[in-house]
C-alpha cells in the first residue's frame, strides 16, 4: 500500500524527517520501500488496522506526538427507511447505509483530496467514488457508493450459489460460481460483497443521490473471492485483513463532511443494522509471563505506557481496541512491547539446548555416506521436480496443476534422470553419470512413501587416457555397487533409446532401488561439512561448444611432463575444458604419443572456426616450442 | 621384457562428482544445528491440511492460508506441504518436552516464475522447554548466521508475522553492497500451536526458525537465477565439487 510521507506529517505534531520515520516504521515491523517520498508498504497480513493513514499514524503514536483529529459532520442524521434484509448476520454483523442527496456545482477539490489523487497518481472517477476512495485511504474503512436512483425497492445481503453473470463497475463480466456473499436488489445481484460493486447501480459523474454502504465483513467470508474471480480491489484487501467493526459512524460522518465541503447537501438519512454486539477482548496483565517470553526484566509501568500509546484501554485489565483483531493472548502483547523496545535492543542470552535423555539422538549417516561414495566415483547429484505428465494407476494426481505437463507426481526417479541425461547430451557431454535420492509417493489403496536412489550412466567412462575409450556399461555399474555390498546385477535397466528424442546411440544404463535399509558398510559416522568452502559460481554458457583433438609426438621422454604441464595450464577465455585422452609409448621407435582434447566455448556467442583456429595456433605454438615435441600431420 | 620405467606415466586426475549445491547447503546447515543440540526428524511431503495448516494456527479464514499457494493432490484429500513446519507438529505430538528438532527438505508452492519455483527447500527447527525466551532465540540465530556468513556480518531483527510464532521476526544481513537481505524467519512458538500438540503452554514455551535453502545457496555461491539449480546442467553442477 502506498502512503505519502507528506500525508503522514499532516497528522503528526512531531515532524520527523523521512529517514527517521522510515527507521521507526521498520522497527515497528512495517516493511517498505520509498520512492519520491512515497512509502510503498508491505504490511503483514495480521495488521489490517495499518492499511490507512490513520492506522499507521496510530501505530506511530508510540514514538511521536500525533494528532488524528479530523472534521466530521456532527449534527443529528434522520433515519433512513430502507427495505434491507440481512440473511447473513453471522458474516456481516454491522452494516450502515447513508442516503445522501446533493444539488448544485461541485467545487474544486480541497487540498487534502487533491493531494491524495496527485501525490499517489490515482485517477479520479466521480465525486462520490472519489470520496469513498479517499476515506478508505484516510480511515481504512471501505465504503461502496450506489446510485440510489438505479436501485430497486429492496436490498438483500445473502449467500448466492446460483451460477449467474455479474458485471463489475469496471465493466468486467464473469460468471459467479460457488458460494459468494452478494447484495441483491429485486433479485438482481448488484454487488459482490466486500470485493466490487456492479455496473448497473454504480455512481457516475451525473449521480446526485447516492447510497453509501459501510459494512464490517468477517475476513473468512471475503477471503479467496478476489483470487477466485481475479479482481483484486482495495476493499477486498482490507476486508480480508480485518477492518474495525466500530468505526462506521465516524466514517460516514466524515463522508458527509467531505461532501459538505464541496457541494450543497439537500438530504441525508442513515440506516444502521446492528447484529450481535462486538465482543471486546480483555486480557490480564501477566508481567512475569511477558518478561519470560522476551527474556527481559522490564517493569509494568513501561509496558503500560507502551500499550496506552498504542490505543489500548488499561485499568485492572487490558481492553484491546476494536481495530486490533490480531491481539489475543500474552504473546501478542509481548510482541507489541518487543516492537517498541526494538528487536535489536533485546539482549542476547545464551541458549543451551537440554535434550530429553530418553530419546537417543537420531542421525542418518548411511545416506550421506552413500552420496559421498557416489561422488567419489564421479557421479553428479541432481534434484528433479516431482511433477510429471506420466499417469499410471499408482500416480497421485495434482488437483490444481501448474499445467497439463505437471498433472501427476512421479512414481520413479529414473525417468527424470533420463531426461537430465538427454539434456546434457544435447550440450555435447559424452560422459554422464547422474544420481538422485528422493522420496517417491504412490497410491496403492493409500499413499505410500519410499526412499529411492536412482543412477543413470551413458558415454565414456572418464575424461582421461585410461578411461576415454571405455564405455560406461552394466559391468561398470555392478562393480561400483559391489564395493559397498550392494548387488544390483539383476536390476539394471538397459534404456531403450528408441522412445527418446535423441539421435545418439550410446547405450544408457539405469538402476533404481529403495534405500531404507542400506548395508552396514555405509553406517559409519558421516563427516560434517565445513562452512568455509562454498565455491563462487561462474555463469554457464548457453552457446554450443566445439572440440579439437591433437596428437603430439614426444621423442625425448624427459619432456613429457613439461608438455603436459604446458597443455594443462593454457590461459584462455574460450577453453572450457581440456584433458589428455590418449597416452601411448611406441617402444619400437621410442616415441610417445599424447592425445589432448580441447573444448572451446564462449559465454556470449557461438564461436567461429576462425576464432577457434586462432586459439589453437597459440596453444600449439607454445607446445611445439618444447624440444622434441611435434604435431604430426600439421603444417 | 620392456619396461616403462624410463617414462613416468602421467597421473590420472581423480574425476570427482558433486553433491547438488542445494542438498549440500541443506545438509551443512543441518550438521551445524545437530552440533548445537538439535535432533533430525523426518516427515512426509504429502501432508494433510490439518498438519500443514490447522495445527499450525493457520485457520481456513486466515490470510496466511491464502499466502501459501497450495498444491492439492489426491482429490483434495491432501496437500503438498507448503513448509517443513508440519514435521515439527508430528515431532511435538510424539514426544514430550524438552525437545529440539530440526527437519529439512522439499516444500511446494503453486508459483513458477523467475524468482519463485514450485519446489524449493527449507530447514526448520523448534526447541520447546520451560522458559525458552526471545533472548535465547537471538543467540541461536546469531550462531547460525555467523556460521553461514562470518562473525563480522551485520544483521538485524525485524518484526514479522507467522501464524505459528508470536512474537515473530525476520532476520536480514547487510550485503557487501549495503543492501539488507532477508535470510530467515523465526519467533516464539505461538501458545496455540503448543496446545494443539498437547503441550501445556503455561509451563512450556518454544522457539522456532526456518531458512530457505535456495536463497542462502544463491548468496553463498553467487548464483543469480534460482532456476539454474534445477536444470541439471552438468556445466553448472560440476562447479560445486
Amino acid at each position: 500500500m502506498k502512503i505519502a510521507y507528506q500525508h503522514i506529517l499532516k497528522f503528526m505534531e512531531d515532524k520527523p524527517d523521512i529517514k527517521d520515520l522510515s527507521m521507526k516504521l521498520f522497527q515497528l515491523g512495517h516493511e517498505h520501500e520509498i520512492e519520491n517520498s512515497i512509502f510503498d508498504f508491505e504490511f503483514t497480513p495480521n495488521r489490517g488496522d495499518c492499511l490507512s493513514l490513520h492506522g499507521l499514524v496510530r501505530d506511530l503514536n508510540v514514538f511521536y506526538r500525533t494528532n488524528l483529529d479530523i472534521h466530521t459532520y456532527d449534527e443529528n442524521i434522520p433515519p433512513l427507511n430502507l427495505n434491507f434484509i440481512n440473511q447473513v448476520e453471522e458474516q456481516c454483523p454491522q452494516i450502515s447505509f447513508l442516503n445522501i442527496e446533493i444539488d448544485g456545482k461541485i467545487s474544486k477539490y480541497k487540498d487534502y483530496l487533491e493531494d491524495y489523487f496527485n501525490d499517489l497518481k490515482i485517477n479520479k472517477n466521480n465525486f462520490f467514488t472519489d470520496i469513498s476512495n479517499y476515506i478508505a485511504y484516510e480511515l481504512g474503512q471501505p465504503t461502496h457508493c450506489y446510485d440510489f436512483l438505479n436501485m430497486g425497492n429492496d436490498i438483500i445481503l445473502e449467500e448466492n450459489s446460483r451460477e449467474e453473470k455479474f458485471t463489475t463497475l469496471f465493466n468486467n463480466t464473469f460468471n459467479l460460481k460457488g458460494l459468494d456473499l452478494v447484495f441483491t436488489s429485486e433479485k438482481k445481484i448488484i454487488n459482490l460483497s466486500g470485493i466490487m460493486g456492479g455496473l448497473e447501480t454504480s455512481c457516475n459523474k451525473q449521480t446526485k443521490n447516492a447510497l453509501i454502504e459501510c459494512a464490517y465483513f468477517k475476513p473468512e467470508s471475503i477471503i479467496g473471492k478476489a483470487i477466485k474471480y481475479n479482481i483484486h480491489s482495495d476493499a477486498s484487501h482490507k476486508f480480508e485483513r480485518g477492518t474495525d467493526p466500530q468505526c462506521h459512524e465516524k466514517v460516514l460522518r466524515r463522508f458527509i463532511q467531505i461532501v459538505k465541503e464541496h457541494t450543497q447537501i439537500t438530504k441525508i438519512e442513515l440506516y444502521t443494522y446492528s447484529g450481535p454486539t462486538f465482543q471486546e477482548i480483555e486480557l490480564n496483565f501477566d508481567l512475569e509471563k511477558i518478561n519470560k517470553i522476551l527474556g527481559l526484566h522490564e517493569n509494568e509501568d513501561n509496558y503500560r505506557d507502551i500499550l496506552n500509546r498504542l490505543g489500548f484501554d488499561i485499568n485492572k485489565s487490558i481492553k484491546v481496541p476494536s481495530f486490533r483483531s490480531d491481539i489475543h493472548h500474552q504473546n501478542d502483547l509481548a510482541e507489541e512491547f518487543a516492537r517498541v523496545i526494538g528487536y535489536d535492543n533485546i539482549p542476547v542470552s545464551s541458549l543451551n539446548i537440554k535434550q530429553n535423555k530418553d530419546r537417543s539422538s537420531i542421525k542418518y549417516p548411511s545416506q550421506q555416506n552413500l552420496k559421498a561414495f557416489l561422488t567419489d566415483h564421479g557421479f553428479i547429484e541432481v534434484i528433479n521436480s516431482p511433477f510429471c505428465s506420466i499417469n499410471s494407476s499408482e500416480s497421485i494426481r495434482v488437483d490444481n496443476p501448474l499445467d497439463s505437463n505437471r498433472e501427476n507426481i512421479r512414481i520413479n526417479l529414473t525417468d527424470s534422470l533420463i531426461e537430465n541425461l538427454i539434456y546434457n547430451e544435447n550440450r555435447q557431454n559424452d560422459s554422464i553419470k547422474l544420481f538422485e535420492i528422493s522420496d517417491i509417493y504412490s497410491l496403492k489403496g493409500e499413499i505410500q512413501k519410499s526412499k529411492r536412489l536412482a543412477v543413470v550412466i551413458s558415454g565414456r567412462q572418464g575424461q582421461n587416457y585410461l578411461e576415454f575409450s571405455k564405455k560406461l556399461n552394466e559391468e561398470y555399474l555392478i562393480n561400483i555397487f559391489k564395493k559397498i555390498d550392494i548387488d544390483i546385477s539383476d536390476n539394471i535397466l538397459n534404456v531403450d533409446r528408441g522412445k527418446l528424442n535423441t539421435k545418439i546411440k550410446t547405450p544408457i544404463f539405469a538402476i533404481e532401488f529403495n534405500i531404507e535399509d542400506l548395508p552396514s558398510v555405509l553406517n559409519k559416522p558421516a563427516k560434517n561439512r565445513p562452512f568455509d568452502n562454498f565455491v563462487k559460481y561462474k555463469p554457464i554458457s548457453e552457446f554450443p561448444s566445439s572440440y579439437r583433438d591433437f596428437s603430439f609426438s614426444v621423442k625425448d621422454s624427459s619432456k613429457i611432463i613439461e608438455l603436459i604441464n604446458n597443455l594443462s595450464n593454457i590461459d584462455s577465455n574460450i577453453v572450457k575444458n581440456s584433458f589428455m585422452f590418449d597416452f601411448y609409448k611406441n617402444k619400437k621407435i621410442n616415441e610417445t604419443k599424447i592425445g589432448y582434447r580441447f573444448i572451446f566455448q564462449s559465454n556470449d556467442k557461438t564461436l567461429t572456426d576462425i576464432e577457434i583456429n586462432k586459439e589453437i595456433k597459440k596453444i600449439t605454438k607454445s607446445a611445439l616450442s618444447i624440444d622434441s615435441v611435434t604435431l604430426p600431420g600439421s603444417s | 621384457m620392456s619396461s616403462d620405467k624410463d617414462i613416468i606415466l602421467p597421473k590420472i586426475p581423480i574425476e570427482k562428482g558433486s553433491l547438488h549445491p542445494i542438498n549440500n547447503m541443506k545438509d551443512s546447515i543441518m550438521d551445524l544445528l545437530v552440533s548445537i543440540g538439535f535432533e533430525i526428524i523426518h516427515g512426509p511431503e504429502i501432508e494433510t491440511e490439518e498438519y500443514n495448516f490447522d495445527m499450525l494456527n493457520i485457520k481456513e479464514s486466515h490470510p496466511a492460508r491464502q499466502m501459501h499457494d497450495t498444491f492439492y493432490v489426491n482429490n483434495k484429500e491432501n496437500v503438498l506441504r507448503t513448509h517443513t513446519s508440519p514435521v515439527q507438529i508430528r515431532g511435538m505430538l510424539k514426544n514430550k518436552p524438552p525437545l529440539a528438532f530440526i527437519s529439512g527438505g522439499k516444500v511446494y508452492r503453486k508459483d513458477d516464475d523467475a524468482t519463485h519455483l514450485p519446489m524449493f527447500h527449507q530447514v526448520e527447527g523448534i526447541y520447546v522447554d520451560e522458559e525458552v525466551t526471545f533472548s535465547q532465540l537471538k543467540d541461536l540465530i546469531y550462531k547460525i548466521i555467523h556460521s553461514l556468513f562470518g562473525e563480522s556480518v551485520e544483521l538485524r531483527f525485524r518484526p514479522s508475522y507467522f501464524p505459528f510464532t508470536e512474537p515473530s521476526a525476520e532476520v536480514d544481513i547487510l550485503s557487501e553492497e549495503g543492501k539488507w537481505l532477508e535470510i530467515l524467519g523465526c519467533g516464539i512458538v505461538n501458545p496455540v500451536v503448543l496446545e494443539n500438540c498437547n503441550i501445556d503452554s503455561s509451563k512450556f514455551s518454544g522457539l522456532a526458525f526456518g531458512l530457505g535453502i535456495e536463497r542462502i545457496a544463491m548468496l553463498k555461491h553467487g548464483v543469480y537465477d534460482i532456476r539454474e539449480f534445477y536444470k541439471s546442467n552438468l556445466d553448472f553442477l560440476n562447479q560445486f565439487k
Side-chain angles (χ1 to χ4, degrees):
Chain A
M1 182 193 181
K2 288 189 165 75
I3 295 183
Y5 167 64
Q6 290 301 335
H7 303 178
I8 295 173
L9 287 193
K10 285 179 189 173
F11 297 101
M12 308 267 285
E13 284 177 8
D14 291 329
K15 305 287 178 196
D17 65 35
I18 195 163
K19 213 173 149 188
D20 179 54
L21 192 63
S22 169
M23 277 170 62
K24 288 286 188 269
L25 287 163
F26 264 112
Q27 181 176 333
L28 289 172
H30 305 315
E31 207 180 321
H32 59 266
E33 286 178 5
I34 304 171
E35 201 179 331
N36 299 326
S37 297
I38 307 290
F39 290 97
D40 192 353
F41 288 101
E42 202 177 309
F43 292 111
T44 54
N46 60 329
R47 294 304 305 272
D49 63 298
C50 286
L51 292 166
S52 70
L53 255 178
H54 267 219
L56 191 66
V57 174
R58 211 160 40 198
D59 224 38
L60 286 167
N61 188 59
V62 79
F63 292 129
Y64 303 105
R65 284 175 303 144
T66 65
N67 184 353
L68 286 171
D69 290 346
I70 44 168
H71 294 300
T72 54
Y73 181 79
D74 56 7
E75 287 174 41
N76 186 42
I77 309 171
L80 167 67
N81 184 15
L82 188 74
N83 185 12
F84 172 67
I85 299 169
N86 186 353
Q87 294 183 353
V88 286
E89 189 181 80
E90 179 62 27
Q91 297 172 56
C92 176
Q94 312 286 334
I95 183 164
S96 301
F97 293 93
L98 174 75
N99 174 23
I100 185 160
E101 205 176 286
I102 56 169
D103 195 18
K105 226 179 131 192
I106 293 161
S107 66
K108 186 178 170 296
Y109 284 175
K110 302 278 180 202
D111 285 351
Y112 61 89
L113 207 51
E114 201 62 42
D115 288 350
Y116 160 68
F117 290 103
N118 290 340
D119 296 344
L120 299 175
K121 298 189 173 60
I122 290 171
N123 291 332
K124 289 176 187 163
N125 204 311
N126 59 69
F127 181 52
F128 289 110
T129 305
D130 287 350
I131 296 174
S132 172
N133 289 341
Y134 173 72
I135 282 187
Y137 174 67
E138 186 185 78
L139 299 177
Q141 171 65 38
T143 48
H144 181 69
C145 309
Y146 301 92
D147 189 323
F148 208 4
L149 301 181
N150 291 337
M151 308 264 293
N153 288 321
D154 62 352
I155 304 179
I156 299 172
L157 177 58
E158 59 183 296
E159 209 158 38
N160 173 62
S161 56
R162 302 181 305 248
E163 195 168 321
E164 196 170 323
K165 266 201 174 123
F166 176 68
T167 304
T168 70
L169 49 88
F170 291 134
N171 208 4
N172 293 327
T173 303
F174 50 86
N175 276 331
L176 296 179
K177 274 182 191 165
L179 276 185
D180 292 307
L181 219 56
V182 295
F183 287 94
T184 59
S185 182
E186 295 183 353
K187 296 191 173 158
K188 277 175 84 176
I189 294 171
I190 56 167
N191 188 352
L192 188 54
S193 311
I195 318 284
M196 197 172 279
L199 182 66
E200 275 185 39
T201 55
S202 64
C203 287
N204 55 50
K205 284 185 173 144
Q206 280 71 48
T207 303
K208 295 287 179 195
N209 186 183
L211 184 73
I212 317 300
E213 166 219 313
C214 182
Y216 171 79
F217 296 108
K218 288 209 168 145
E220 49 267 47
S221 61
I222 302 299
I223 206 150
K225 303 288 195 291
I227 285 184
K228 183 163 91 173
Y229 298 117
N230 198 22
I231 37 169
H232 295 275
S233 65
D234 180 56
S236 68
H237 188 76
K238 287 185 161 82
F239 284 127
E240 283 173 358
R241 282 154 180 78
T243 54
D244 181 358
Q246 296 201 312
C247 71
H248 296 178
E249 187 172 346
K250 181 182 175 185
V251 165
L252 290 174
R253 284 186 178 277
R254 178 68 174 147
F255 201 109
I256 299 167
Q257 179 65 30
I258 297 175
V259 174
K260 199 176 145 209
E261 287 173 12
H262 291 87
T263 189
Q264 194 192 342
I265 296 174
T266 50
K267 191 183 202 176
I268 44 169
E269 291 171 332
L270 181 66
Y271 175 94
T272 299
Y273 178 93
S274 198
T277 47
F278 169 72
Q279 293 290 317
E280 277 183 333
I281 294 177
E282 283 195 46
L283 296 171
N284 293 327
F285 197 97
D286 189 341
L287 179 70
E288 195 192 338
K289 173 95 182 167
I290 287 166
N291 272 333
K292 263 189 191 173
I293 292 168
L294 298 176
L296 292 175
H297 305 283
E298 289 286 312
N299 66 48
E300 190 167 332
D301 288 347
N302 288 350
Y303 287 146
R304 282 178 179 270
D305 180 49
I306 287 171
L307 289 182
N308 249 324
R309 282 184 281 149
L310 287 171
F312 288 71
D313 189 1
I314 312 169
N315 283 304
K316 277 181 187 163
S317 63
I318 298 163
K319 271 189 198 160
V320 178
S322 58
F323 52 83
R324 290 301 300 270
S325 58
D326 59 319
I327 307 285
H328 302 282
H329 43 62
Q330 300 296 320
N331 286 56
D332 296 318
L333 294 179
E335 180 164 82
E336 292 305 290
F337 303 135
R339 295 191 303 134
V340 176
I341 292 164
Y343 279 26
D344 284 327
N345 298 323
I346 294 175
V348 173
S349 66
S350 173
L351 172 72
N352 294 306
I353 289 179
K354 264 188 284 163
Q355 280 188 329
N356 193 327
K357 289 192 181 109
D358 298 339
R359 256 188 336 261
S360 59
S361 180
I362 313 154
K363 275 186 161 190
Y364 295 88
S366 57
Q367 247 182 66
Q368 303 302 344
N369 288 333
L370 176 63
K371 283 187 181 187
F373 170 78
L374 288 168
T375 55
D376 282 348
H377 286 79
F379 286 83
I380 308 267
E381 185 185 25
V382 293
I383 299 176
N384 283 294
S385 155
F387 302 111
C388 69
S389 59
I390 303 160
N391 182 16
S392 90
S393 59
E394 291 180 2
S395 298
I396 295 167
R397 284 183 69 81
V398 181
D399 299 313
N400 55 338
L402 281 162
D403 53 52
S404 59
N405 288 323
R406 292 182 274 190
E407 279 179 341
N408 296 288
I409 305 290
R410 61 179 175 171
I411 54 164
N412 69 60
L413 303 175
T414 305
D415 289 346
S416 313
L417 288 182
I418 291 169
E419 269 180 41
N420 301 152
L421 184 130
I422 301 296
Y423 174 91
N424 282 294
E425 279 183 349
N426 291 339
R427 280 158 183 75
Q428 292 101 31
N429 279 296
D430 60 3
S431 170
I432 301 173
K433 300 195 280 186
L434 304 174
F435 77 96
E436 183 172 11
I437 292 177
S438 181
D439 289 340
I440 283 291
Y441 295 84
S442 57
L443 203 57
K444 291 169 188 160
E446 56 186 25
I447 293 174
Q448 299 202 342
K449 178 182 127 177
S450 60
K451 187 162 282 297
R452 302 258 192 98
L453 162 74
V455 170
V456 299
I457 55 170
S458 185
R460 303 179 191 282
Q461 284 195 8
Q463 294 184 330
N464 61 68
Y465 67 93
L466 291 180
E467 295 177 316
F468 188 72
S469 51
K470 292 182 192 160
K471 292 278 185 244
L472 290 162
N473 54 21
E474 279 177 287
E475 200 188 340
Y476 176 87
L477 262 190
I478 291 168
N479 287 336
I480 291 268
F481 280 97
K482 239 184 212 167
K483 292 184 189 177
I484 45 170
D485 295 348
I486 299 176
D487 180 8
I488 56 163
S489 48
D490 294 335
N491 303 318
I492 296 178
L493 174 72
N494 187 346
V495 178
D496 178 7
R497 279 214 185 240
K499 290 176 186 159
L500 304 174
N501 185 20
T502 174
K503 286 178 184 156
I504 296 169
K505 300 272 190 274
T506 325
I508 302 170
F509 297 96
I511 178 82
E512 177 164 347
F513 52 92
N514 283 357
I515 53 162
E516 263 96 9
D517 299 309
L518 284 168
S520 55
V521 66
L522 290 168
N523 266 325
K524 58 189 182 196
K527 266 193 293 183
N528 273 15
R529 289 156 205 78
F531 263 111
D532 51 6
N533 62 349
F534 290 105
V535 291
K536 281 285 171 208
Y537 146 83
K538 293 186 200 89
I540 53 171
S541 172
E542 286 301 322
F543 295 94
S545 62
S546 296
Y547 69 85
R548 298 286 191 275
D549 291 341
F550 303 97
S551 187
F552 293 97
S553 285
V554 191
K555 290 259 190 224
D556 178 355
S557 56
S558 72
K559 296 289 177 189
I560 290 171
I561 298 298
E562 191 182 343
L563 175 64
I564 291 171
N565 285 342
N566 181 295
L567 295 172
S568 308
N569 295 308
I570 298 290
D571 179 25
S572 164
N573 289 332
I574 60 167
V575 173
K576 175 186 146 196
N577 191 14
S578 65
F579 57 90
M580 182 166 55
F581 67 87
D582 192 18
F583 186 88
Y584 170 71
K585 188 177 179 189
N586 188 334
K587 293 184 186 89
K588 280 184 195 159
I589 56 169
N590 197 26
E591 191 175 86
T592 306
K593 291 263 184 213
I594 291 179
Y596 227 88
R597 173 167 289 190
F598 285 91
I599 300 166
F600 299 90
Q601 192 176 35
S602 156
N603 270 342
D604 15 75
K605 58 180 176 174
T606 303
L607 292 170
T608 62
D609 280 348
I610 295 169
E611 285 162 324
I612 293 172
N613 289 341
K614 203 174 148 194
E615 205 67 10
I616 286 169
K617 262 193 184 161
K618 257 169 54 187
I619 293 167
T620 51
K621 192 180 168 193
S622 164
L624 294 173
S625 68
I626 299 167
D627 275 353
S628 92
V629 175
T630 56
L631 194 55
S634 73
S635 51
Chain B
M1 207 175 118
S2 67
S3 161
D4 280 336
K5 275 181 186 166
D6 56 334
I7 52 164
I8 306 151
L9 280 170
K11 272 191 188 164
I12 303 166
I14 299 164
E15 287 178 32
K16 272 199 80 162
S18 58
L19 294 169
H20 194 281
I22 294 299
N23 274 341
N24 193 34
M25 181 61 73
K26 182 193 80 187
D27 291 336
S28 301
I29 292 170
M30 304 267 278
D31 283 350
L32 167 76
L33 293 163
V34 166
S35 75
I36 292 173
F38 286 91
E39 281 175 47
I40 298 172
I41 56 168
H42 298 277
E45 290 167 29
I46 297 184
E47 262 296 358
T48 60
E49 283 198 83
E50 187 189 4
Y51 283 107
N52 193 71
F53 293 126
D54 300 336
M55 297 285 279
L56 286 154
N57 194 35
I58 312 172
K59 297 177 189 119
E60 202 153 346
S61 61
H62 214 292
R65 201 135 162 174
Q66 200 181 29
M67 275 169 15
H68 293 254
D69 293 320
T70 312
F71 281 113
Y72 288 86
V73 296
N74 199 19
N75 296 321
K76 298 205 172 164
E77 293 266 311
N78 296 88
V79 297
L80 297 186
R81 66 179 181 193
T82 57
H83 43 189
T84 41
S85 311
V87 189
Q88 319 289 10
I89 295 291
R90 289 174 181 274
M92 284 194 284
L93 283 170
K94 270 194 204 149
N95 299 281
K96 288 195 163 46
L99 48 85
F101 293 142
I102 47 166
S103 59
K106 293 170 186 161
V107 298
Y108 302 89
R109 307 238 175 120
K110 204 182 162 191
D111 238 336
D112 197 6
D113 57 41
T115 53
H116 299 90
L117 296 175
M119 176 192 80
F120 55 100
H121 292 73
Q122 285 186 340
V123 169
E124 285 195 35
I126 194 165
Y127 174 50
V128 180
D129 200 350
E130 290 174 31
E131 296 189 21
V132 175
T133 67
F134 195 85
S135 296
Q136 292 171 325
L137 170 66
K138 284 186 74 172
D139 183 45
L140 173 66
I141 300 303
Y142 272 104
K143 277 182 189 150
I144 296 172
I145 300 265
H146 284 164
S147 301
L148 276 168
F149 298 101
E151 298 274 332
S152 58
V153 73
E154 199 178 326
L155 64 109
R156 72 174 182 192
F157 285 76
R158 241 175 338 103
S160 189
Y161 169 71
F162 309 108
F164 32 89
T165 52
E166 189 76 35
S168 304
E170 275 176 310
V171 181
D172 305 329
I173 61 164
L174 193 61
S175 71
E176 283 166 13
E177 294 79 32
K179 222 178 140 193
W180 288 103
L181 307 168
E182 190 187 314
I183 296 297
L184 58 80
C186 59
I188 294 296
V189 180
N190 193 316
V192 174
V193 175
L194 294 180
E195 294 293 339
N196 287 345
C197 298
N198 309 319
I199 294 172
D200 181 357
S201 67
S202 65
K203 188 176 172 198
F204 294 102
S205 52
L207 58 81
F209 60 91
L211 304 95
I213 303 303
E214 278 77 359
R215 181 154 184 75
I216 293 171
M218 286 169 84
L219 286 171
K220 292 294 292 181
H221 294 299
V223 174
Y224 295 106
D225 187 343
I226 191 170
R227 293 171 295 194
E228 295 288 350
F229 288 116
Y230 300 109
K231 286 180 181 167
S232 300
N233 187 326
L234 290 179
D235 290 344
F236 175 83
L237 296 171
N238 264 322
Q239 296 189 32
F240 302 97
K241 284 180 176 172

